[in-house]
């Protein structure tokens, strides 16, 4: 699992519509992103279960007004998802 707070990721997470499929990288994630409302600084272990429930069968989560999160079976898979998600957020 990877979690970032990049400028582009936070900007997309702050938009009502989230990641819009307007470029090739964004299309990779079309209908493959879960969205979780920001709950503030997370010191509550119960949020793990809510995040897990929100993710469902997806490996990509945008935390509204917060940042990006990716999951994978391996570190490489999680990194690959984050790399292309970040590129999609940057519009590149």
């Amino acid at each position: 699992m990877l979690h970032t707070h990049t400028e582009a990721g936070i900007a997309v997470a702050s938009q009502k519509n989230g990641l819009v499929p307007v470029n090739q990288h964004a299309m990779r994630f079309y209908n493959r992103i879960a969205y979780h409302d920001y709950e503030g600084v997370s010191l509550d272990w119960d949020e793990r279960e809510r995040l897990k429930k929100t993710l469902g069968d997806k490996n990509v989560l945008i935390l509204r007004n917060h940042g990006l999160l990716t999951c994978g079976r391996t570190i490489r898979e999680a990194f690959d998802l984050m790399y292309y998600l970040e590129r999609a957020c940057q519009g590149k």
Side-chain angles (χ1 to χ4, degrees), residues 4-14 62 66-68 86 89:
T4 62
H5 298 119
T6 63
E7 288 181 22
I10 292 170
V12 169
S14 298
I62 293 183
H66 183 92
L68 310 175
E86 176 63 22
C89 290

Side-chain angles (χ1 to χ4, degrees), residues 42-85:
S42 180
L43 300 174
D44 181 4
W45 287 103
D46 293 339
E47 187 174 11
R48 288 184 305 175
E49 292 304 315
R50 292 189 295 278
L51 287 168
K52 187 174 156 182
K53 184 177 180 182
T54 300
L55 267 168
D57 64 349
K58 296 179 173 54
N59 289 341
V60 175
L61 180 71
I62 293 183
L63 297 141
R64 297 235 183 246
N65 303 304
H66 183 92
L68 310 175
L69 185 142
T70 59
C71 305
R73 291 169 288 177
T74 64
I75 294 168
R76 179 181 177 166
E77 184 179 359
F79 179 86
D80 187 64
L81 287 167
M82 184 61 77
Y83 176 81
Y84 287 104
L85 180 59

